[in-house]
Amino acid sequence: MAVARRLSFGRLRQNVYEVIRANSLSLCKFSILNMAFLLVLTLGLGGVGSLWFLAWGLGYYLFHFMFFRWFFAKKPPLLTLKFFDTLLPAVKVMFMVMLGLTVLAYFPYFPLLFGGTSETIKNVITLFIGDFMGESNAYNFMISLIMLVMAPVIIYRPLLGWVAAVLGRSGSFRNAFKHTSGYYKMFLKVCFVFYVLGGVLWLLDRGLDCHGILFAIGAAPLSILFNLFLAKTYEALFLD
């Protein structure tokens, strides 16, 4: 596929930069609205199971739905039945992420589920779970690195299928993976950049004892920037 070979991380970055220059005011508005969403979440909504959180989640989902409709100039930007076609791909993305996190969280326990494990190995595993897991920053960092390596497969590529559904096209993950075959390294570069930026924000927030407020403020434009990378990736690999 000739078009696919022309896409590189440098070219994608340049395409995103051009979009920012041409639409700086609109992107600032999206970033401010995104910041309001994230600050409301940070300041508390009464727990994940509360009605306020559910209302926030629906609003935030609609926000991102509207962003991609705006980017690709789809009318109407929000009030369309195409919204319901995006729900299944969104659930699939969430399922893949949660499955990955669950497998990583319980991976050390797996040897204990099988018979024949020696007492020495059981003791080592038990000590590892008790001393290294839990509140260990080293263990959390290791998990985050593994998730980073998995992100192009379980997050970036599936999200492109969701973008397709937002635009009224097929949200099939099989189709999304077909269009993005051979791009693991490039997607990993994109994910790595946002991993580093997000990590720096998180460390600054903790170091300054901002209780998540600084992180929410910084993550607002950062997530919009990530959306732009997704949009330009979709445009290059699916539409050209």
Side-chain angles (χ1 to χ4, degrees):
M1 185 177 177
V3 173
R5 286 196 295 270
R6 290 204 301 267
L7 184 63
S8 65
F9 178 72
R11 183 180 179 85
L12 179 60
R13 183 182 57 195
Q14 181 63 31
N15 291 343
V16 170
Y17 174 70
E18 291 172 358
V19 171
I20 293 173
R21 287 190 61 185
N23 302 275
S24 56
L25 181 59
S26 295
L27 292 172
C28 283
K29 292 178 180 178
F30 274 111
S31 296
I32 291 171
L33 183 55
N34 194 24
M35 189 183 302
F37 269 108
L38 296 178
L39 284 174
V40 167
L41 178 65
T42 301
L43 295 175
L45 292 169
V48 175
S50 68
L51 291 176
W52 285 113
F53 180 82
L54 294 176
W56 178 91
L58 176 60
Y60 199 53
Y61 185 85
L62 288 170
F63 167 76
H64 288 282
F65 175 86
M66 183 176 66
F67 176 85
F68 285 100
R69 298 279 295 181
W70 163 81
F71 183 89
F72 289 100
K74 292 292 182 178
K75 303 294 183 180
L78 187 59
L79 299 176
T80 171
L81 293 177
K82 298 296 183 184
F83 168 79
F84 297 100
D85 295 334
T86 69
L87 297 180
L88 181 58
V91 170
K92 288 181 179 179
V93 173
M94 292 177 61
F95 175 78
M96 293 179 71
V97 173
M98 294 306 298
L99 179 62
L101 288 172
T102 302
V103 169
L104 290 176
Y106 287 95
F107 184 78
Y109 294 90
F110 288 164
L112 299 178
L113 300 178
F114 304 98
T117 305
S118 67
E119 289 299 322
T120 301
I121 295 178
K122 288 182 179 179
N123 290 335
V124 170
I125 294 173
T126 302
L127 287 172
F128 174 83
I129 293 172
D131 297 339
F132 191 61
M133 292 177 66
E135 298 299 322
S136 170
N137 288 328
Y139 180 74
N140 292 335
F141 178 66
M142 182 179 69
I143 292 295
S144 71
L145 285 179
I146 297 174
M147 283 298 296
L148 171 64
V149 173
M150 296 168 60
V153 178
I154 68 172
I155 300 176
Y156 203 93
R157 294 170 77 181
L159 278 176
L160 292 171
W162 177 79
V163 172
V166 169
L167 304 182
R169 299 162 68 96
S170 172
S172 166
F173 283 5
R174 179 180 297 181
N175 185 53
F177 275 68
K178 176 183 176 181
H179 280 277
T180 56
S181 177
Y183 278 92
Y184 173 82
K185 289 183 179 179
M186 193 194 77
F187 296 158
L188 182 60
K189 289 180 181 179
V190 175
C191 293
F192 176 76
V193 169
F194 285 94
Y195 174 85
V196 171
L197 293 175
V200 170
L201 272 177
W202 181 76
L203 289 174
L204 285 174
D205 186 273
R206 289 196 63 181
L208 298 174
D209 198 24
C210 294
H211 306 289
I213 294 177
L214 177 61
F215 183 81
I217 292 172
L222 199 60
S223 59
I224 295 298
L225 183 60
F226 182 75
N227 281 354
L228 289 178
F229 270 87
L230 280 174
K232 295 305 290 184
T233 301
Y234 181 86
E235 186 178 69
L237 299 182
F238 288 71
L239 298 183
D240 283 358

